[in-house]
Amino acid sequence: MNVVIQRKLLSQAEKLCVQRNVRMTPQRLEVLRLMIKQNNAISAYELLNLLRHSEPQAKPPTIYRALDFLIDQKFIHRVESTNSFMLCHYFTDPLHTSAFFICDKCGQVTEKAAEKIKHLLQSMATQASFAISHNIVEAHGLCTQCVVHTL
Ligand SMILES: [Zn+2]
Ligand SMILES: [Zn+2]
């Protein structure tokens, strides 16, 4: 992702926080910046190490609080099956259902907005008289590059 797009995403996130009347602190913004730069899923531990370049006193709760905030604002997602976090690619559509495609070899995670899955789950939930609060779709396999190397 080039620097112009990175800056654009950051300012978009800041604007959304103003609209939603929530506080984007410099620390939360820095964590988001690191995740935008990363451009792939990252563990909380790796993020903490990166954050320590600018904030040497940062501790695990620091990073978890920032991550919780960014998840609440739907700027990032938690990838449950690998216990990592990644930037959301659909900032402006906070109600999207996403599907994650996780490469088991190199760890690359790709997000796709999955409208059809959302509707399917919704209709199954209605049949089951169930109210969905959130859902997670994660698929494991190999990315294009790793498939090529395996052949
Ligand atoms: Zn997303
Ligand atoms: Zn791969």
Side-chain angles (χ1 to χ4, degrees):
M1 212 185 295
N2 72 46
V3 181
V4 178
I5 298 175
Q6 291 182 18
R7 288 216 192 94
K8 218 174 128 191
L9 279 176
L10 277 179
S11 69
Q12 200 174 35
E14 283 186 287
K15 263 186 220 140
L16 286 169
C17 285
V18 173
Q19 280 170 20
R20 294 168 186 171
N21 206 13
V22 293
R23 212 158 68 90
M24 176 63 99
T25 61
Q27 199 172 56
R28 291 164 175 173
L29 196 66
E30 175 61 10
V31 172
L32 184 62
R33 194 186 66 83
L34 291 170
M35 294 197 65
I36 290 173
K37 242 177 111 182
Q38 180 71 15
N39 204 20
N40 195 17
I42 184 171
S43 73
Y45 180 77
E46 287 171 299
L47 261 177
L48 181 60
N49 279 340
L50 291 175
L51 184 64
R52 279 181 174 153
H53 292 306
S54 60
E55 298 192 34
Q57 76 292 356
K59 299 211 164 50
T62 317
I63 207 82
Y64 282 110
R65 272 196 301 266
L67 287 170
D68 282 344
F69 173 82
L70 297 172
I71 289 171
D72 281 348
Q73 296 307 315
K74 311 271 202 296
F75 297 149
I76 65 169
H77 294 290
R78 186 195 303 273
V79 183
E80 308 270 341
S81 59
T82 56
N83 196 18
S84 58
F85 302 86
M86 79 174 286
L87 184 72
C88 173
H89 291 87
Y90 308 95
F91 266 26
T92 45
D93 174 19
L95 295 175
H96 68 281
T97 285
S98 38
F100 295 106
F101 298 91
I102 304 158
C103 178
D104 288 327
K105 203 161 175 195
C106 71
Q108 182 68 43
V109 181
T110 306
E111 178 186 15
K112 293 276 171 216
E115 282 311 303
K116 283 183 184 156
I117 291 176
K118 182 172 162 178
H119 294 140
L120 186 63
L121 282 173
Q122 198 51 60
S123 73
M124 290 194 297
T126 306
Q127 283 167 26
S129 306
F130 186 84
I132 297 177
S133 57
H134 80 292
N135 61 67
I136 299 147
V137 180
E138 298 183 0
H140 285 258
L142 294 174
C143 72
T144 331
Q145 288 213 316
C146 292
V147 167
V148 170
H149 289 296
T150 311
L151 291 175

